[in-house]
Amino acid sequence: MTKKKEKRDGKQFFDKKRPANVGVSFFFRNFAAKFMKNIRNFCIIAHIDHGKSTLADRLLEHTQTIQVTEGQMLDDMDLERERGITIKSHAIQMAYSYGGEQYTLNLIDTPGHVDFSYEVSRSIAACEGALLVVDATQGVQAQTISNLYMAIDHDLEIIPVINKIDMPSAMPDEVEDEIMDLIGCDRADILRASGKTGEGVEQLLQAIVERIPAPKGDPEAPLQALIFDSVFNSFRGIIAYFKIVNGTIAKGDEVKFFNTGMEYEADEVGVLKMDMVPRQRLGTGEVGYIISGIKNATEVKVGDTITHVARPCQAAIEGFQEVKPMVFAGVYPIDPTDYENLRASLEKLQLNDASLTFQPESSVALGFGFRCGFLGLLHMEIIQERLDREFNMDVITTVPNVSYMCYTKQGEVKEVHNPSGLPDQTMIDHIEEPYIRASIITTADFIGPIMKLCLDKRGELLDQQYVSGNRVELHFMLPLGEIVIDFYDKLKSISKGYASFDYHIDGFRPSKLAKLDILLNGEPVDALSTLTHQDNAVGFGRRMCEKLKELIPRQQFDIAIQAAIGAKIIARETVKQVRKDVTAKCYGGDVSRKRKLLEKQKRGKKRMKQIGNVEVPQKAFLAVLKLD
């Protein structure tokens, strides 16, 4: 390539390799500033099922980034397509011409379910603006408000969009009033669009260019790039996705991960379209990926900062929240020899889903496994499904529970994630459980049933406000342990799908909790132990015993299923033995002969019971989830 061509073509100059520690030339600085001015980084936030992914498809189609062949192109996981929900954030770059200039738009499509709010927080950290999408048929929902506040905390420019205006039941005027009350904008600021027909997409793209600010940063400063996601590739190792806040990165640069201190060579850097597109260099404000042959999953932390080895930055990028799991459950391989494979699978999953946490634990009934932390029950279900589909791992998941603070009589404080980790009852002074502040938005028709549901779950009504017309927002204080299992399903059932739910942790409170043990033939099954409130213990224990009686197969001896608190048995069921008629061959004769055969059978059954082993089927461990 000639020097003349190099000077004429700015992109070729931008791609030209330059050592990391050499100062930026005057020409390069001017070009980088012009290039940054035309970058827009934004995400789409909304409540679940408000049409985020469909609207993203129309944006991709309109900018001719891809040919949309089927719905939800960014939802590339089979699970996402089957369930119709977004589980992972997805980043993609679009090119858009406006006002005679070419703009680079980096879009991050985010999930809407409350269990995946951590994915949303990571996406927001890598953006300067957000499209707030509201369904014209449903209006503002609980997760809409939650995600909006998260975006406002990060000083993002908000563009409100009313979606699904083509629907016969759409009520755009009423929804506009709700949005104006929520964020205090003018009616003219709210855009109307349809992800299905593509109406309003051109105006939406223009608003992104005009309203969302270009990224700020210094191309001459030492490299600072925020890792907001990572994936595992079996051929190329770990691929980290990042946004450059300051400086530039080029292929072949020696880079360092700030918090872990690990150093690598950038084998490949590039931008994210539907596939990864390699580039020689990426500048300030751009979103891209780096491949550096990392094989160990623990070396990449989401929220870490990438910098240069020769010219490192002074501090890591701040403002990235650490994840705090809410629900804990034991995950055990069905085949004990798969323990190490399960560890490797969880590490690879953790790369792709940083909200998953795990640590080794062992169980008398199930052997070696891991205590995993999840953001909610749907998150736990998705992880279990992904372990099966992506890594071919058959696992047993134990009864989920939350973390408790246990105060002993010696003045010690212990965080308990597992009922088996609870000290002896005589040593405990008191136990505190986590409480949440829940926000439920529903129509006035369902206030009574929803209040009853929350009060049955030991909830406490804080206040209620009318959002608009017939819609009410209720605020409750609820114990987290009461809502993790079946609360969301029951809420949707009694409100016929019209209620939306969001929550935030609100500290710990003392509570009368009891450890409920399940005994099979007098032997405790630690994987079925659970912590529950004393008022609910008897009813819960009885339902557990009844459910296990249905699920445990009959043996040649009686199986006693008992629920106990300490030494006190509170419920019992018996799985009757399978009996062979040993007297069938007796016809006539003395009754003592029949009695002798029955006594012999009785002694055999007793001996069998002493050495017999009761197999607990996998369904039994999830039985608690299906209890009414």
Side-chain angles (χ1 to χ4, degrees):
M1 187 188 295
T2 63
K3 288 185 180 178
K4 192 173 180 182
K5 165 77 175 164
E6 227 174 78
K7 284 186 180 179
R8 189 173 68 249
D9 189 346
K11 184 180 181 306
Q12 294 291 341
F13 184 89
F14 194 62
D15 283 351
K16 192 183 176 191
K17 189 170 178 179
R18 175 183 59 84
N21 55 353
V22 174
V24 182
S25 68
F26 174 76
F27 176 77
F28 180 77
R29 188 166 62 248
N30 281 356
F31 180 81
K34 184 176 183 298
F35 188 76
M36 271 174 62
K37 186 171 71 71
N38 289 4
I39 295 175
R40 300 291 183 271
N41 298 321
F42 68 99
C43 60
I44 303 180
I45 56 175
H47 190 79
I48 188 169
D49 202 30
H50 277 207
K52 303 173 298 301
S53 300
T54 310
L55 193 61
D57 282 353
R58 297 291 80 75
L59 293 172
L60 295 173
E61 206 170 47
H62 199 82
T63 55
Q64 298 178 346
T65 305
I66 54 166
Q67 183 66 40
V68 177
T69 53
E70 52 184 311
Q72 282 80 47
M73 292 295 284
L74 293 183
D75 291 349
D76 52 8
M77 234 187 276
D78 290 341
L79 265 175
E80 292 179 313
R81 292 177 185 273
E82 282 170 24
R83 291 171 178 254
I85 59 173
T86 303
I87 294 167
K88 283 288 304 158
S89 298
H90 296 269
I92 190 165
Q93 189 179 96
M94 301 177 282
Y96 177 61
S97 297
Y98 177 64
E101 292 193 48
Q102 190 81 355
Y103 288 87
T104 299
L105 311 181
N106 290 310
L107 156 68
I108 302 177
D109 180 28
T110 61
H113 196 281
V114 65
D115 276 15
F116 303 108
S117 56
Y118 185 64
E119 290 285 327
V120 182
S121 75
R122 286 157 49 182
S123 307
I124 284 172
C127 295
E128 282 81 39
L131 301 184
L132 179 72
V133 177
V134 181
D135 190 331
T137 63
Q138 295 182 47
V140 172
Q141 301 284 309
Q143 196 64 28
T144 314
I145 298 170
S146 173
N147 290 339
L148 171 68
Y149 289 160
M150 213 185 293
I152 289 171
D153 287 344
H154 282 78
D155 294 327
L156 265 60
E157 180 65 35
I158 308 294
I159 300 178
V161 182
I162 298 177
N163 193 22
K164 303 188 185 180
I165 57 167
D166 59 306
M167 300 282 281
S169 56
M171 39 182 194
D173 294 334
E174 291 92 326
V175 175
E176 275 186 0
D177 292 338
E178 288 181 22
I179 293 172
M180 286 162 64
D181 288 344
L182 183 65
I183 59 177
C185 64
D186 296 328
R187 194 176 290 275
D189 295 335
I190 303 170
L191 302 175
R192 296 186 182 188
S194 168
K196 190 176 179 182
T197 64
E199 184 184 343
V201 170
E202 177 62 32
Q203 290 81 4
L204 189 53
L205 286 164
Q206 289 174 12
I208 289 165
V209 171
E210 290 170 1
R211 295 198 217 169
I212 294 175
K216 297 179 176 65
D218 183 1
E220 282 196 273
L223 173 66
Q224 273 186 312
L226 172 73
I227 300 175
F228 66 86
D229 202 357
S230 55
V231 293
F232 181 81
N233 184 299
S234 52
F235 299 104
R236 312 201 65 181
I238 291 153
I239 303 168
Y241 298 163
F242 61 80
K243 180 207 173 181
I244 301 176
V245 177
N246 289 305
T248 59
I249 187 171
K251 181 180 177 180
D253 282 355
E254 293 288 329
V255 296
K256 180 172 84 169
F257 287 20
F258 198 89
N259 290 328
T260 60
M262 305 299 289
E263 297 182 2
Y264 309 98
E265 183 179 335
D267 297 334
E268 182 179 307
V269 294
V271 295
L272 298 156
K273 298 210 171 179
M274 269 320 271
D275 297 312
M276 295 182 291
V277 181
R279 292 272 191 269
Q280 284 296 320
R281 180 182 305 284
L282 293 175
T284 305
E286 288 200 86
V287 173
Y289 69 90
I290 179 171
I291 300 174
S292 47
I294 306 168
K295 293 288 185 275
N296 189 346
T298 56
E299 292 175 20
V300 178
K301 297 258 189 271
V302 169
D304 201 351
T305 303
I306 303 174
T307 189
H308 280 127
V309 173
R311 190 167 166 243
C313 59
Q314 296 301 308
I317 299 164
E318 292 181 358
F320 200 88
Q321 292 181 345
E322 195 63 40
V323 63
K324 186 157 179 58
M326 298 295 143
V327 179
F328 295 87
V331 175
Y332 295 85
I334 289 177
D335 183 354
T337 57
D338 281 340
Y339 176 73
E340 285 302 326
N341 293 341
L342 179 59
R343 182 198 293 274
S345 302
L346 286 169
E347 283 177 354
K348 288 171 187 173
L349 258 184
Q350 194 179 39
L351 271 177
N352 195 231
D353 184 353
S355 51
L356 169 69
T357 63
F358 65 92
Q359 59 187 48
E361 75 164 5
S362 62
S363 156
V364 177
L366 300 172
F368 290 102
F370 296 92
R371 194 81 191 158
C372 297
F374 309 96
L375 293 182
L377 213 66
L378 176 66
H379 186 213
M380 174 180 133
E381 197 180 321
I382 294 295
I383 292 292
Q384 193 175 348
E385 192 79 21
R386 288 183 70 186
L387 280 170
D388 180 31
R389 293 189 184 201
E390 296 174 28
F391 302 99
N392 205 24
M393 293 295 308
D394 287 330
V395 295
I396 291 174
T397 310
T398 64
V399 177
N401 60 274
V402 300
S403 60
Y404 299 92
M405 303 303 287
C406 179
Y407 292 79
T408 64
K409 289 178 179 174
Q410 285 77 25
E412 296 172 351
V413 184
K414 186 178 180 184
E415 190 172 356
V416 179
H417 301 312
N418 189 349
S420 62
L422 207 63
D424 190 78
Q425 198 69 35
T426 56
M427 306 281 289
I428 298 171
D429 182 55
H430 69 280
I431 301 173
E432 290 186 353
E433 65 176 331
Y435 267 70
I436 59 161
R437 186 186 175 92
S439 166
I440 299 169
I441 296 180
T442 183
T443 54
D445 312 343
F446 305 111
I447 291 179
I450 288 173
M451 278 193 175
K452 183 179 183 307
L453 172 68
C454 293
L455 294 172
D456 288 347
K457 297 286 186 184
R458 298 189 283 128
E460 174 191 326
L461 179 65
L462 298 176
D463 61 38
Q464 66 180 67
Q465 300 162 354
Y466 276 84
V467 180
S468 66
N470 194 32
R471 298 176 69 238
V472 186
E473 184 175 7
L474 304 168
H475 290 115
F476 278 92
M477 286 295 283
L478 284 158
L480 180 61
E482 293 282 349
I483 69 144
V484 295
I485 292 178
D486 58 356
F487 180 83
Y488 194 69
D489 293 340
K490 285 185 175 178
L491 179 69
K492 285 292 179 187
S493 298
I494 62 176
S495 66
K496 297 180 180 160
Y498 283 109
S500 63
F501 174 69
D502 184 48
Y503 65 85
H504 299 283
I505 293 295
D506 198 76
F508 286 76
R509 290 188 183 184
S511 186
K512 295 191 295 179
L513 293 167
K515 181 187 173 188
L516 182 71
D517 287 314
I518 299 295
L519 312 173
L520 295 181
N521 280 345
E523 292 293 322
V525 182
D526 56 349
L528 289 172
S529 297
T530 182
L531 281 170
T532 183
H533 196 267
Q534 285 178 2
D535 296 348
N536 304 336
V538 175
F540 186 72
R542 188 175 294 125
R543 293 201 304 277
M544 277 286 283
C545 290
E546 288 167 0
K547 194 75 178 176
L548 288 170
K549 184 183 177 182
E550 294 171 20
L551 295 169
I552 291 176
R554 291 171 71 188
Q555 306 284 333
Q556 291 192 341
F557 52 90
D558 282 350
I559 302 171
I561 304 168
Q562 296 167 307
I565 296 177
K568 184 182 178 185
I569 304 295
I570 58 170
R572 173 182 170 132
E573 292 287 338
T574 304
V575 179
K576 285 296 180 185
Q577 60 188 337
V578 180
R579 294 186 71 105
K580 178 184 174 186
D581 188 0
V582 291
T583 61
K585 59 186 177 184
C586 297
Y587 48 93
D590 190 4
V591 73
S592 60
R593 190 167 171 224
K594 287 187 179 179
R595 198 173 291 135
K596 184 180 173 184
L597 287 168
L598 289 169
E599 285 296 324
K600 185 180 176 185
Q601 185 190 43
K602 190 176 176 183
R603 287 195 302 273
K605 295 278 186 189
K606 187 178 179 182
R607 194 163 57 248
M608 196 184 290
K609 187 173 181 178
Q610 288 170 350
I611 60 167
N613 186 24
V614 182
E615 287 291 327
V616 183
Q618 185 177 355
K619 290 179 187 172
F621 294 103
L622 293 174
V624 68
L625 305 184
K626 309 297 179 193
L627 294 179
D628 295 323

